Amino acid sequence: MSKVKIEIANEKDAVDIQRVSYQVAKMHDESAPEYFKSISAEEELRNIREMLDDEKVIVFKAVYDDKLIGFLFLEMIYRQSKGLMFSKLGNILNLGVDEVYRSRGIGTMLLNAAEKYARNQGGEALDLGVFAFNKGAIKLYERLGYEIIDMSMRKVLK
Protein backbone atom coordinates (compact mmCIF):
# COMPACT_ATOMS: atom_id res chain seq x y z
CA MET A 1 0.00 0.00 0.00
CA SER A 2 2.21 2.74 -1.31
CA LYS A 3 -0.11 5.60 -0.36
CA VAL A 4 0.06 4.86 3.37
CA LYS A 5 1.77 7.56 5.40
CA ILE A 6 3.30 7.07 8.82
CA GLU A 7 2.94 10.18 10.95
CA ILE A 8 3.08 11.24 14.59
CA ALA A 9 -0.35 11.04 16.23
CA ASN A 10 -1.80 13.68 18.51
CA GLU A 11 -4.85 14.27 20.73
CA LYS A 12 -7.10 14.72 17.67
CA ASP A 13 -6.42 11.08 16.75
CA ALA A 14 -7.61 9.60 20.06
CA VAL A 15 -11.06 8.50 18.86
CA ASP A 16 -9.67 6.93 15.68
CA ILE A 17 -6.97 5.11 17.67
CA GLN A 18 -9.67 3.87 20.01
CA ARG A 19 -11.64 2.46 17.05
CA VAL A 20 -8.66 0.33 15.97
CA SER A 21 -7.64 -0.44 19.55
CA TYR A 22 -11.14 -1.81 20.20
CA GLN A 23 -10.68 -4.30 17.34
CA VAL A 24 -7.39 -5.48 18.85
CA ALA A 25 -8.92 -5.72 22.35
CA LYS A 26 -11.88 -7.68 20.99
CA MET A 27 -9.51 -10.19 19.39
CA HIS A 28 -7.71 -10.60 22.72
CA ASP A 29 -11.00 -10.91 24.63
CA GLU A 30 -12.24 -13.61 22.26
CA SER A 31 -8.92 -15.51 22.20
CA ALA A 32 -8.42 -15.60 25.96
CA PRO A 33 -11.53 -14.41 27.81
CA GLU A 34 -10.25 -15.83 31.10
CA TYR A 35 -7.36 -13.33 31.05
CA PHE A 36 -8.86 -10.11 29.75
CA LYS A 37 -11.26 -7.79 31.48
CA SER A 38 -13.37 -5.64 29.19
CA ILE A 39 -13.26 -1.92 29.83
CA SER A 40 -15.73 0.75 28.82
CA ALA A 41 -15.20 2.84 25.72
CA GLU A 42 -14.82 5.91 27.95
CA GLU A 43 -12.11 4.25 30.04
CA GLU A 44 -10.25 3.08 26.94
CA LEU A 45 -10.43 6.55 25.40
CA ARG A 46 -9.14 8.06 28.65
CA ASN A 47 -6.19 5.61 28.63
CA ILE A 48 -5.38 6.49 25.02
CA ARG A 49 -5.50 10.22 25.76
CA GLU A 50 -3.16 9.72 28.73
CA MET A 51 -0.68 7.93 26.49
CA LEU A 52 -0.92 10.66 23.86
CA ASP A 53 -0.19 13.24 26.59
CA ASP A 54 2.74 11.30 28.08
CA GLU A 55 5.97 13.00 27.01
CA LYS A 56 7.88 9.69 27.28
CA VAL A 57 5.60 8.04 24.71
CA ILE A 58 5.54 8.72 20.99
CA VAL A 59 2.53 7.51 19.05
CA PHE A 60 2.79 6.72 15.36
CA LYS A 61 -0.25 6.47 13.12
CA ALA A 62 -0.70 4.88 9.71
CA VAL A 63 -2.95 6.96 7.46
CA TYR A 64 -4.53 5.84 4.19
CA ASP A 65 -6.92 8.10 2.24
CA ASP A 66 -7.04 10.48 5.24
CA LYS A 67 -8.18 7.62 7.51
CA LEU A 68 -6.22 6.29 10.49
CA ILE A 69 -5.74 2.58 9.86
CA GLY A 70 -3.08 1.71 12.42
CA PHE A 71 -1.12 2.91 15.43
CA LEU A 72 1.94 2.12 17.50
CA PHE A 73 2.80 3.39 21.00
CA LEU A 74 6.55 3.57 21.71
CA GLU A 75 8.20 4.49 25.00
CA MET A 76 11.92 5.24 25.15
CA ILE A 77 13.58 3.88 28.28
CA TYR A 78 16.93 5.08 29.57
CA ARG A 79 18.56 2.96 32.30
CA GLN A 80 21.69 3.63 34.32
CA SER A 81 22.45 0.12 35.58
CA LYS A 82 25.82 -1.18 34.41
CA GLY A 83 24.58 -4.77 34.67
CA LEU A 84 22.12 -4.39 31.81
CA MET A 85 23.00 -5.07 28.20
CA PHE A 86 21.15 -2.03 26.85
CA SER A 87 20.97 1.34 28.57
CA LYS A 88 18.69 2.90 25.93
CA LEU A 89 15.86 0.96 24.41
CA GLY A 90 12.45 1.39 22.92
CA ASN A 91 9.51 -0.46 24.40
CA ILE A 92 6.57 -0.99 22.08
CA LEU A 93 3.55 -0.68 24.33
CA ASN A 94 0.79 -1.31 21.83
CA LEU A 95 0.38 -1.88 18.09
CA GLY A 96 -2.84 -2.16 16.17
CA VAL A 97 -3.92 -2.29 12.55
CA ASP A 98 -7.52 -1.96 11.38
CA GLU A 99 -8.79 -5.46 10.61
CA VAL A 100 -9.70 -4.42 7.05
CA TYR A 101 -6.07 -3.48 6.33
CA ARG A 102 -4.22 -6.35 8.04
CA SER A 103 -1.64 -8.42 6.12
CA ARG A 104 -0.85 -5.49 3.82
CA GLY A 105 2.41 -4.34 5.39
CA ILE A 106 0.97 -1.67 7.70
CA GLY A 107 2.36 -3.29 10.86
CA THR A 108 5.77 -3.54 9.19
CA MET A 109 5.66 0.15 8.29
CA LEU A 110 4.76 1.13 11.86
CA LEU A 111 7.49 -1.08 13.33
CA ASN A 112 10.05 0.31 10.88
CA ALA A 113 9.09 3.86 11.91
CA ALA A 114 9.50 2.93 15.58
CA GLU A 115 12.88 1.35 14.87
CA LYS A 116 14.10 4.43 12.98
CA TYR A 117 12.90 6.75 15.74
CA ALA A 118 14.48 4.63 18.49
CA ARG A 119 17.77 4.44 16.60
CA ASN A 120 17.77 8.25 16.15
CA GLN A 121 17.24 8.61 19.92
CA GLY A 122 20.28 6.44 20.62
CA GLY A 123 18.22 3.31 21.22
CA GLU A 124 20.11 0.04 21.13
CA ALA A 125 17.16 -2.38 21.01
CA LEU A 126 13.37 -2.61 20.76
CA ASP A 127 11.29 -4.70 23.16
CA LEU A 128 7.66 -5.74 22.91
CA GLY A 129 5.27 -8.19 24.46
CA VAL A 130 2.98 -10.50 22.53
CA PHE A 131 0.50 -13.12 23.68
CA ALA A 132 1.15 -16.70 22.56
CA PHE A 133 -2.25 -16.98 20.83
CA ASN A 134 -1.45 -14.06 18.51
CA LYS A 135 0.24 -16.18 15.85
CA GLY A 136 -0.03 -13.54 13.11
CA ALA A 137 1.77 -10.93 15.19
CA ILE A 138 4.43 -13.43 16.23
CA LYS A 139 5.13 -14.28 12.57
CA LEU A 140 5.43 -10.57 11.76
CA TYR A 141 7.82 -9.90 14.62
CA GLU A 142 9.99 -12.92 13.80
CA ARG A 143 10.10 -11.94 10.13
CA LEU A 144 11.38 -8.50 11.19
CA GLY A 145 14.14 -9.99 13.35
CA TYR A 146 12.56 -10.02 16.82
CA GLU A 147 13.55 -12.96 19.01
CA ILE A 148 11.95 -14.55 22.05
CA ILE A 149 14.04 -13.52 25.07
CA ASP A 150 11.78 -14.60 27.92
CA MET A 151 8.41 -16.19 28.59
CA SER A 152 5.67 -15.49 31.06
CA MET A 153 3.37 -18.17 32.35
CA ARG A 154 0.20 -17.98 34.42
CA LYS A 155 -2.13 -20.33 36.23
CA VAL A 156 -5.57 -19.00 37.03
CA LEU A 157 -6.66 -20.00 40.53
CA LYS A 158 -10.37 -20.62 40.79
Side-chain angles (χ1 to χ4, degrees):
M1 296 190 63
S2 61
K3 295 181 182 180
V4 174
K5 296 181 285 186
I6 305 299
E7 302 172 347
I8 303 300
N10 60 49
E11 173 62 30
K12 295 176 197 168
D13 299 307
V15 171
D16 289 328
I17 291 171
Q18 180 193 22
R19 176 183 52 79
V20 177
S21 180
Y22 175 78
Q23 295 173 2
V24 175
K26 183 178 175 194
M27 184 264 298
H28 284 78
D29 291 348
E30 291 171 354
S31 297
E34 66 278 14
Y35 295 117
F36 294 98
K37 177 184 167 192
S38 296
I39 62 172
S40 70
E42 296 80 22
E43 189 176 359
E44 183 180 16
L45 187 57
R46 186 171 47 253
N47 292 341
I48 290 168
R49 285 191 167 124
E50 285 176 12
M51 297 287 276
L52 286 165
D53 288 340
D54 187 335
E55 61 190 38
K56 295 179 294 192
V57 177
I58 183 160
V59 182
F60 295 94
K61 64 180 178 179
V63 179
Y64 180 70
D65 282 342
D66 296 323
K67 179 181 178 184
L68 188 144
I69 60 169
F71 67 88
L72 183 147
F73 290 81
L74 173 69
E75 177 182 25
M76 293 304 298
I77 300 172
Y78 303 94
R79 307 180 296 191
Q80 298 300 318
S81 175
K82 296 187 189 307
L84 299 171
M85 182 68 158
F86 303 111
S87 60
K88 298 177 184 174
L89 64 105
N91 184 33
I92 298 170
L93 302 170
N94 200 355
L95 167 66
V97 175
D98 187 308
E99 56 197 2
V100 174
Y101 296 94
R102 290 184 189 151
S103 298
R104 297 185 189 187
I106 309 304
T108 298
M109 293 173 73
L110 287 161
L111 288 160
N112 287 341
E115 182 176 333
K116 181 179 178 182
Y117 178 86
R119 199 175 260 128
N120 288 340
Q121 299 300 310
E124 302 162 294
L126 284 177
D127 284 350
L128 59 80
V130 61
F131 288 96
F133 63 77
N134 198 343
K135 304 294 185 202
I138 292 169
K139 279 184 185 178
L140 168 65
Y141 302 143
E142 289 177 338
R143 187 171 49 76
L144 294 178
Y146 290 78
E147 300 174 323
I148 296 171
I149 57 168
D150 63 13
M151 294 178 64
S152 296
M153 298 176 73
R154 175 178 293 152
K155 178 180 181 180
V156 177
L157 305 176
K158 297 180 182 183

